[in-house]
Amino acid sequence: MLNENTMKLMPTLLAAAALALSFTASAQEAAIRKTLAERIPQMENIDEVRSTAMPGLYEVRIGTDLFYTDAKGNYVIQGELIDTKARRNLTEDRINKLTAVDFSALPLKDAFTIVRGDGKRKVAVFEDPNCGYCKRFERDLQNVDNITVYLFLYPILSPDSAEKSRNIWCAKDRAATWHDLMLRDKTPNTASCDTSAVQRNLAFGKKYKITGTPTLIFANGSRVPGAINAQDVEKRLAEAGSN
């Protein structure tokens, strides 16, 4: 049984224990940072060190790149951490959180819009004009009504992708030129203008690790890499609307 004096001291003891743990965690982080910076020059500027769900394993974050190390920084692992009990890829979950995109913060001025029906539902899509999966996705997307699509040209597949993106961006009717190419295989006419928006799209994609096309971002911030069919688009739009 705890006596009255011990009970009174309990908040102080708990605070002291928490403070001690905080100091220990800070010292641990400092030691890992110091060791890795000394031994691996590429790890000189570490953004964050934190413990993981696996005892003794620490996450080292540089930008949105994740590495794992032991408590002393003697070993570094580059790979994926899997929770076998929960059947979750913890590395993937963490990267998704780090690269989440606030829809309201998207640079919409660097996209062109395609509106069908009332346009109330919204989705942003990053696409390469030479992407076969994008063409399949565009055909399916024609079956989705009452939507506004913010189309970000994202030429990452080939030099020809950059040329086609320029011709689409500089066209008088970007949406029509885009659909002519993606739905009817009609090559866009040569055009020229300021294409800095396309370059900004590439920089944005690099920052948020958009590595494939199409990549969809819905109004609730959820992100889908790869082509999905009209039914799945409808489902995602409904989920975004409910949130």
Side-chain angles (χ1 to χ4, degrees), residues 129-130 135 139 160 164-165 167-168 171 173-190:
N130 279 328
K135 292 180 179 180
R139 288 192 295 270
D160 181 53
K164 287 178 179 175
S165 293
N167 293 336
I168 293 164
D173 189 333
R174 293 166 177 165
T177 304
W178 172 256
H179 284 147
D180 278 344
L181 173 62
M182 304 305 281
L183 302 177
R184 292 175 279 277
D185 289 324
K186 182 180 177 182
T187 303
N189 295 326
T190 301

Side-chain angles (χ1 to χ4, degrees), residues 86-242:
R87 297 185 179 182
R88 294 191 64 88
N89 186 325
L90 301 183
T91 303
E92 184 178 88
D93 289 348
R94 177 80 166 124
I95 289 176
N96 287 341
K97 185 175 181 180
L98 290 170
T99 59
V101 179
D102 181 354
F103 196 89
S104 64
L106 282 168
L108 299 182
K109 69 181 187 309
D110 293 333
F112 60 89
T113 58
I114 300 169
V115 181
R116 281 196 292 277
D118 60 28
K120 287 183 179 180
R121 303 182 299 174
K122 299 180 180 358
V123 63
V125 189
F126 287 75
E127 296 192 67
D128 185 302
N130 279 328
C131 167
Y133 290 107
C134 297
K135 292 180 179 180
R136 188 183 76 187
F137 167 74
E138 285 292 339
R139 288 192 295 270
D140 285 337
L141 195 60
Q142 302 308 301
N143 297 313
V144 180
D145 201 8
N146 298 324
I147 187 173
T148 296
V149 179
Y150 298 98
L151 201 296
F152 289 85
L153 292 167
Y154 196 58
I156 59 173
L157 296 180
S158 69
D160 181 53
S161 297
E163 180 182 347
K164 287 178 179 175
S165 293
R166 182 200 68 212
N167 293 336
I168 293 164
W169 183 253
C170 298
K172 289 182 179 179
D173 189 333
R174 293 166 177 165
T177 304
W178 172 256
H179 284 147
D180 278 344
L181 173 62
M182 304 305 281
L183 302 177
R184 292 175 279 277
D185 289 324
K186 182 180 177 182
T187 303
N189 295 326
T190 301
S192 60
C193 66
D194 180 5
T195 57
S196 55
V198 178
Q199 298 307 310
R200 288 193 294 269
N201 292 347
L202 292 171
F204 183 91
K206 182 178 180 181
K207 178 180 178 180
Y208 288 97
K209 289 191 175 296
I210 298 175
T211 57
T213 56
T215 292
L216 290 69
I217 300 172
F218 291 87
N220 62 350
S222 63
R223 175 167 156 174
V224 179
I228 57 177
N229 60 33
Q231 183 178 357
D232 286 335
V233 172
E234 289 283 3
K235 179 182 176 183
R236 297 278 184 164
L237 288 170
E239 290 173 351
S242 64

